[in-house]
Amino acid sequence: MAGVSLKCGDCGILLKSVEEAQEHAELTKHSSFSESTDPVLNLVCSSCGKPCRSKTESDLHTKRTGHSEFVDKTLESTAPISLEAPKVKEDVIMEEAGDGNSSSQQEETVVPEVDQKLLEELETMGFPKARATRALHFCGNASLEAAVNWVVEHESDPDIDEMPLVPVNDKKSEAPKPSLTPEEIKMKTQELRERARNKKEEEEKQREREREKERIRVGKELLEAKRIEEENEKKRLIALRKAEKEEEKRAMEKIRKKLEEDKEERRRRFGLPPEDPTTDSKPSAPVVVEKKSSLPVRPATKAQQMRECLRSLKQNHKDDDAKVKTAFDTLLTFAKNVATNPNEEKFRKIRLSNAAFQDRVGKLKGGVEFLELCGFEKVEGGEFLFLPREKVDIAVLNTAGNELNTAISNPFFGVL
């Protein structure tokens, strides 16, 4: 691919033509140039059409005008570079003589002398050499800040990127402008650094204020989310209590019907006449006893005892659902192993001091009691739980399995 620019081997800047390379060499004394396939950047402002040849120029333009949209026309303006040396142009100035006769005189023009250190700093910042030279020339090589301010104020000039030329005579006749002393340069540099530090501190304070506002906003959102979560938890508990009450009510109604059926069955068995319905409307003794007494009634059947034991276990450890579920699963495994393999003694004997057993079942109130309802007995001074082979009751173990499955699958079991 043909070269589209010239690259300075000393500072790395990209140049559009051989003429720019010659001017750059005269100003910087750099002599190593090579063809490059990287094009010179050409960013055109979408608002005013101002071309910028570097990111620094576009940032300065944005800071001054507020224009932030740029169109990259680098590829449109890119063309193979010509390596032919340009011809030297001479300006012909016509001067009229006092006697009416005119004569032509060629006057030589040269690039004005500027502070090379300031020029190198401007080029390092990304300014083209022609623009940097023009800025230093017209600001009198005062300072780096003065040159940057001049560029900002005159960046819309049509000849901003043209190298300034002054006549040799004018250059010689003009007295050089006084340059800053080292003390003044040091003071100016210190002032610029102080301004930059103050600006940085102010920006950091502003960012800290914004971060504090963000922390306050996030804190309020977290408090609001926590409040909503607590309200939802209260509603969920109320719904669970209501569902548990409904379940208890249905269970009590079922028991009441069962008791009535058993009562009628006994009357038929003994040949007694059916109970007079008119007596049902009168307050019955059991109702009065139920209202006056708050003592819990011990369940009569094995299934009810097991259910009450599991409900007690869950209520005693209601703050740790994972531990309760582990206990239920472990008890179900014990009952299933014995029911499936009643002849295996290893399934019918449990060491109470076993760490895994204690962590899953032994430490939970109601766990050992449930195993005793299944037929296990404490032996050897209370060191083991043992279920003798002759006392293995498959029906009891099946009942235990059913109660455990119900406790595991029912989300409302033992909530109240």
Side-chain angles (χ1 to χ4, degrees), residues 6 15-27 33 53 81-89 109 111 129-130 161-165:
L6 290 176
L15 306 164
K16 281 186 176 181
S17 62
V18 176
E19 183 179 4
E20 288 188 1
Q22 291 177 346
E23 294 174 356
H24 179 75
E26 293 176 359
L27 293 173
F33 296 91
R53 295 182 59 179
I81 191 169
S82 175
L83 299 180
E84 295 181 1
K87 296 180 179 179
V88 179
K89 296 181 179 180
T109 58
V111 177
K129 56 203 164 305
D161 288 322
E162 295 181 5
M163 183 66 70
L165 299 175

Side-chain angles (χ1 to χ4, degrees), residues 205-220:
K205 291 180 180 178
Q206 182 65 25
R207 286 194 294 268
E208 183 62 29
R209 288 193 290 266
E210 295 295 331
R211 287 195 291 267
E212 184 64 24
K213 292 180 181 178
E214 181 66 15
R215 284 194 294 269
I216 294 174
R217 183 186 66 79
V218 172
K220 291 182 178 179

Side-chain angles (χ1 to χ4, degrees), residues 12 108 208-209 218 257 275 320 372 391 393 412 414:
E108 183 181 1
E208 183 62 29
R209 288 193 290 266
V218 172
K257 290 182 179 180
E275 188 176 1
D320 196 342
E372 290 177 344
K391 292 186 179 181
D393 191 340
F412 305 109

Side-chain angles (χ1 to χ4, degrees), residues 304-365:
Q304 292 174 349
Q305 293 178 8
M306 291 180 176
R307 189 180 310 119
E308 184 64 26
C309 184
L310 295 176
R311 183 179 289 108
S312 175
L313 189 150
K314 185 169 184 178
Q315 289 180 350
N316 289 331
H317 306 280
K318 59 183 178 181
D319 295 333
D320 196 342
D321 293 338
K323 182 174 290 186
V324 173
K325 186 177 184 304
T326 302
F328 286 172
D329 291 337
T330 304
L331 292 173
L332 182 61
T333 301
F334 286 148
K336 183 178 179 182
N337 288 340
V338 176
T340 306
N341 304 283
N343 295 323
E344 291 289 341
E345 183 177 347
K346 64 179 181 180
F347 294 136
R348 293 184 285 106
K349 191 172 184 180
I350 305 171
R351 183 185 294 272
L352 290 174
S353 60
N354 183 273
F357 174 79
Q358 284 293 324
D359 184 60
R360 297 183 180 182
V361 177
K363 292 182 180 179
L364 278 66
K365 184 177 180 180

Side-chain angles (χ1 to χ4, degrees), residues 142-374:
S143 65
L144 182 65
E145 182 182 11
V148 173
N149 291 335
W150 189 92
V151 171
V152 173
E153 294 174 359
H154 297 81
E155 64 176 351
S156 59
D157 295 350
D159 58 347
I160 185 66
D161 288 322
E162 295 181 5
M163 183 66 70
L165 299 175
V166 296
V168 176
N169 295 334
D170 291 347
K171 179 181 176 182
K172 294 180 179 179
S173 62
E174 289 181 356
K177 294 184 178 181
S179 59
L180 296 177
T181 62
E183 290 77 9
E184 292 175 340
I185 294 175
K186 185 177 180 180
M187 292 178 61
K188 199 72 174 178
T189 304
Q190 184 66 24
E191 181 181 355
L192 291 175
R193 291 177 179 175
E194 186 68 23
R195 289 182 184 178
R197 183 169 60 254
N198 294 337
K199 183 177 180 181
K200 185 176 180 181
E201 291 177 356
E202 184 63 28
E203 291 176 353
E204 183 62 28
K205 291 180 180 178
Q206 182 65 25
R207 286 194 294 268
E208 183 62 29
R209 288 193 290 266
E210 295 295 331
R211 287 195 291 267
E212 184 64 24
K213 292 180 181 178
E214 181 66 15
R215 284 194 294 269
I216 294 174
R217 183 186 66 79
V218 172
K220 291 182 178 179
E221 291 181 355
L222 290 176
L223 290 177
E224 181 65 17
K226 185 177 180 180
R227 184 186 65 79
I228 294 174
E229 183 180 0
E230 290 176 352
E231 291 181 356
N232 293 336
E233 182 65 18
K234 290 179 181 178
K235 293 179 181 179
R236 187 182 71 85
L237 291 177
I238 292 173
L240 289 175
R241 292 191 185 100
K242 185 177 180 180
E244 183 68 17
K245 289 181 179 180
E246 292 293 333
E247 182 185 359
E248 293 290 340
K249 185 177 179 180
R250 288 193 297 270
M252 293 299 295
E253 183 66 21
K254 187 176 180 181
I255 293 173
R256 187 185 64 80
K257 290 182 179 180
K258 181 64 176 175
L259 292 175
E260 290 179 356
E261 292 176 358
D262 292 344
K263 185 176 180 181
E264 291 296 329
E265 179 64 25
R266 287 195 301 271
R267 293 181 71 87
R268 285 194 300 270
R269 188 182 305 166
F270 292 105
L272 297 176
E275 188 176 1
D276 189 0
T278 58
T279 61
D280 295 340
S281 61
K282 297 180 181 180
S284 59
V287 175
V288 176
V289 173
E290 182 179 355
K291 289 183 179 179
K292 291 183 179 180
S293 177
S294 61
L295 295 176
V297 179
R298 184 174 181 82
T301 65
K302 184 75 73 172
Q304 292 174 349
Q305 293 178 8
M306 291 180 176
R307 189 180 310 119
E308 184 64 26
C309 184
L310 295 176
R311 183 179 289 108
S312 175
L313 189 150
K314 185 169 184 178
Q315 289 180 350
N316 289 331
H317 306 280
K318 59 183 178 181
D319 295 333
D320 196 342
D321 293 338
K323 182 174 290 186
V324 173
K325 186 177 184 304
T326 302
F328 286 172
D329 291 337
T330 304
L331 292 173
L332 182 61
T333 301
F334 286 148
K336 183 178 179 182
N337 288 340
V338 176
T340 306
N341 304 283
N343 295 323
E344 291 289 341
E345 183 177 347
K346 64 179 181 180
F347 294 136
R348 293 184 285 106
K349 191 172 184 180
I350 305 171
R351 183 185 294 272
L352 290 174
S353 60
N354 183 273
F357 174 79
Q358 284 293 324
D359 184 60
R360 297 183 180 182
V361 177
K363 292 182 180 179
L364 278 66
K365 184 177 180 180
V368 176
E369 290 81 354
F370 185 86
L371 292 174
E372 290 177 344
L373 290 174
C374 294

Side-chain angles (χ1 to χ4, degrees), residues 77-121:
S77 59
T78 301
I81 191 169
S82 175
L83 299 180
E84 295 181 1
K87 296 180 179 179
V88 179
K89 296 181 179 180
E90 297 180 352
D91 295 332
V92 179
I93 303 175
M94 303 299 295
E95 296 179 354
E96 293 183 357
D99 55 359
N101 296 328
S102 62
S103 61
S104 61
Q105 179 182 3
Q106 295 180 347
E107 185 174 6
E108 183 181 1
T109 58
V110 295
V111 177
E113 294 183 358
V114 295
D115 192 317
Q116 294 298 318
K117 292 184 178 179
L118 296 179
L119 180 63
E120 291 178 1
E121 292 183 9

